[in-house]
Amino acid sequence: MKTLEVDLGNRSYPIHIGTDLIDRPELFNACEKATSIFIVTNTTVAPLYAERLTRTLEKLGKQVKTIVLPDGESYKDWKNLQLIFDNLLKFAADRQTILVALGGGVIGDMTGFAAASYMRGVRFIQVPTTLLAQVDSSVGGKTGINHPLGKNMIGAFHQPVAVIADLNTLKTLPARELSAGLAEVIKHGAIADADFLDWIEANTSALLACDTTAMAYAVLRSCEIKSSVVSADEKEGGIRATLNFGHTFGHAIEAGMGYGEWLHGEAVGCGMVMGANLSCRLNYITQKEVSRLTQIIGSMHLPTQPPPFGAQRYMELMQVDKKTEGGQIRYVILEKMGKAIIQSVPDGQVIETLTATGAHQ
Amino acid sequence: MKTLEVDLGNRSYPIHIGTDLIDRPELFNACEKATSIFIVTNTTVAPLYAERLTRTLEKLGKQVKTIVLPDGESYKDWKNLQLIFDNLLKFAADRQTILVALGGGVIGDMTGFAAASYMRGVRFIQVPTTLLAQVDSSVGGKTGINHPLGKNMIGAFHQPVAVIADLNTLKTLPARELSAGLAEVIKHGAIADADFLDWIEANTSALLACDTTAMAYAVLRSCEIKSSVVSADEKEGGIRATLNFGHTFGHAIEAGMGYGEWLHGEAVGCGMVMGANLSCRLNYITQKEVSRLTQIIGSMHLPTQPPPFGAQRYMELMQVDKKTEGGQIRYVILEKMGKAIIQSVPDGQVIETLTATGAHQ
């Protein structure tokens, strides 16, 4: 097991990465002072791991209840958040209750926002069971739900007290979800570490086969990159926004298709192709680098071809995305492979990218 | 105009208290960098002040929109919070948008929670137009909405960037709401300043008549007391809970009657009578002091007689109240007039208080 610390002063927390971690009660020692523990999970993950995790937590001498939500991005809404609150209140959860998010990014985001808002804030632990959640969404404290008019529009910054990434849970992951997670792994290389990107390119097969050694490194390095960025800029005043590479286009794809049609990671994978195209158009990276990144993304079985909504629809969808400020969209651009910057871009060049990538036909 | 500063490090903010403040654009200088301003108000307050406030804010060169919610505690729910989000998204509010809460405690709590959650946090200004909001709810950063199973169960700590208490807005307040606000004024005396309680007792008529000089002092001293407590304990780990004197019983009354039947301040007034009875029962204050406090509360036309739900129902309602920890209810007790402490109390003595005050018949 490897442990790395996210350094956020009195909100610091450990990320544990290894195999069979959900059987180890000592990793959940934050629960020692909890009055009760609520596992929040979904209908897919519950049959696989909820009982094992319950047994582990009960070894701490605590009462453990499980709240099971439907599975999928389309359920990341107020209605299902309410289901969490209803259960917490029904079973008299108090301010010393701890929530445990057992599942992917949707479960982590919703549980985190429930923890942020229940009685104005209780603690929570992330037990991410998808690659996407292990390398991205469980780290950094962004929580929230979707609004019909935009993704993650309602939420809070609320840091977990621990992240426990059990690599064995990835073995049961459908291939499509594994690929979606690899999109964020590639992103970390592209924005922050060219050597890591080389390593990813050289280990494509091992990663797609969910090889434990390869996966352990991919998760660890991703968490290191993400947590160092988050430590420097917890609430996304500046550098943290570079983690959104591929996300402005990706969110437009997700919203335009209807949440849940494309997996978040698939949309980000395709969004990175578009972001790379734009970076090249702005004379930062070369066409060859765009092709190479596109090839890496494609080799992970991720889509590289955006849906052809047309330029106007993309611009509308991106306008409502939360990274707009004063009407100006800020794009994450690759200054070079392994380094991202943020800037606004004239609509004309964005439309050229939409046309060149087939988003506008 | 008097200005006092709530000292919370980089979340510090001023409270301005005076007359005709909503006409003074310079008090809203926090809006200078805002991309847009949304006034959130209700159907009662909007016709009185929304246009005047809009004119003031437009002087800052900003686009101002107004969101009007229905008026009343029973509307402090998710559905109306959604109305705020719907409007913010519809009109492309971004992270640099500022919300302005124009109204009483319900508007302030909902607007504050909307600001805390919209895009994971935007800034907001409190313009409290009720006495209750001016002396209590607009200061301290507690925001939230009600859940059918409990009051303020869903929310956040989110500090405003300014509080602008215009005493003239109190002139249009119905007598019943003025009295409800005076309950919290009395509370500040009871828990923190015996001299202030003497002053309140001596100025009952002036306060009930909404005399500007008397009211200015009542608001200022209340804000001073509340903000010093909040500065010492922003997230209610300890001393801040003393501000809940009368609230454990009061919330039970509000929930038991159905939100909106009793005004919050009325329930707190009556709750303080019950809290004083309990404090006497625990040998802290004398029966004479209980009678005096009851008399001050009654002289402000506040109820001093709890609804007779019966002891069991009260205990159930209080159990779900958010101040319970590990099943144990923590009560705010007057150690003496002008000083409150927090402790758990055996159910037997609470039931004696419920019986003695007529809550259990």
Side-chain angles (χ1 to χ4, degrees), chain A residues 122-144:
Chain A
V122 298
R123 295 183 298 160
F124 82 115
I125 293 174
Q126 291 272 21
V127 184
T129 62
T130 67
L131 183 58
L132 184 101
Q134 291 190 359
V135 299
D136 182 23
S137 57
S138 70
V139 175
K142 280 194 180 179
T143 72

Side-chain angles (χ1 to χ4, degrees), chain A residues 124-322:
Chain A
F124 82 115
I125 293 174
Q126 291 272 21
V127 184
T129 62
T130 67
L131 183 58
L132 184 101
Q134 291 190 359
V135 299
D136 182 23
S137 57
S138 70
V139 175
K142 280 194 180 179
T143 72
I145 56 174
N146 298 328
H147 184 281
L149 294 179
K151 198 172 147 67
N152 295 322
M153 282 293 151
I154 318 299
F157 285 97
H158 190 57
Q159 301 294 340
V161 292
V163 179
I164 293 152
D166 188 330
L167 298 167
N168 280 353
T169 61
L170 305 182
K171 304 277 185 196
T172 52
L173 210 58
R176 193 179 159 199
E177 288 204 37
L178 195 76
S179 291
L182 289 168
E184 299 282 358
V185 175
I186 295 167
K187 182 197 75 182
H188 289 122
I191 64 166
D193 184 351
D195 292 344
F196 184 42
L197 194 64
D198 294 346
W199 178 90
I200 294 164
E201 193 174 24
N203 287 273
T204 306
S205 310
L207 290 167
L208 284 171
C210 203
D211 170 80
T212 299
T213 311
M215 209 48 102
Y217 182 68
V219 174
L220 180 69
R221 188 71 196 110
S222 288
C223 287
E224 280 173 356
I225 291 170
K226 176 148 190 189
S227 63
S228 77
V229 172
V230 168
S231 297
D233 177 22
E234 184 179 1
K235 295 199 173 171
E236 198 164 311
I239 188 182
R240 181 166 181 163
T242 60
L243 293 169
N244 293 325
F245 178 55
H247 282 60
T248 300
F249 292 115
H251 285 170
I253 294 173
E254 283 184 274
M257 293 297 292
Y259 293 122
E261 279 302 305
W262 283 41
L263 295 178
H264 174 66
E266 291 172 336
V268 168
C270 188
M272 288 194 290
V273 172
M274 301 164 84
N277 183 292
L278 189 59
S279 305
C280 174
R281 202 165 295 280
L282 297 166
N283 296 318
Y284 289 113
I285 62 173
T286 65
Q287 184 54 53
K288 204 175 148 193
E289 288 169 319
V290 177
S291 300
R292 180 187 166 220
L293 188 62
T294 305
Q295 192 273 325
I296 297 174
I297 292 165
S299 73
M300 296 297 190
H301 308 154
L302 290 162
T304 56
Q305 176 67 53
F309 302 145
Q312 198 189 333
R313 180 75 179 126
Y314 269 94
M315 297 307 282
E316 280 168 15
L317 288 164
M318 293 192 294
Q319 197 64 39
V320 85
D321 192 67
K322 71 188 162 308

Side-chain angles (χ1 to χ4, degrees), chain A residues 35 78 82 85-86 89 94-96 113 116-120 142-143 147 149 152-157 236 322 324-327, chain B residues 35 78 82 85-86 89 94-96 113 116-120 142-143 147 149 152-157 236 322 324-327:
Chain A
T35 45
W78 172 256
Q82 275 291 61
F85 294 138
D86 292 348
L89 282 160
D94 64 28
R95 284 181 174 165
Q96 303 307 318
F113 187 41
S117 310
Y118 186 67
M119 293 186 176
R120 299 196 189 94
K142 280 194 180 179
T143 72
H147 184 281
L149 294 179
N152 295 322
M153 282 293 151
I154 318 299
F157 285 97
E236 198 164 311
K322 71 188 162 308
T324 68
E325 282 181 15
Chain B
T35 45
W78 172 256
Q82 275 292 62
F85 293 138
D86 292 348
L89 281 161
D94 64 28
R95 284 182 173 162
Q96 303 306 320
F113 187 41
S117 310
Y118 185 67
M119 294 189 176
R120 300 198 188 92
K142 279 194 180 179
T143 71
H147 184 280
L149 294 178
N152 294 324
M153 283 291 150
I154 318 299
F157 286 97
E236 199 164 309
K322 71 189 162 307
T324 70
E325 283 183 11

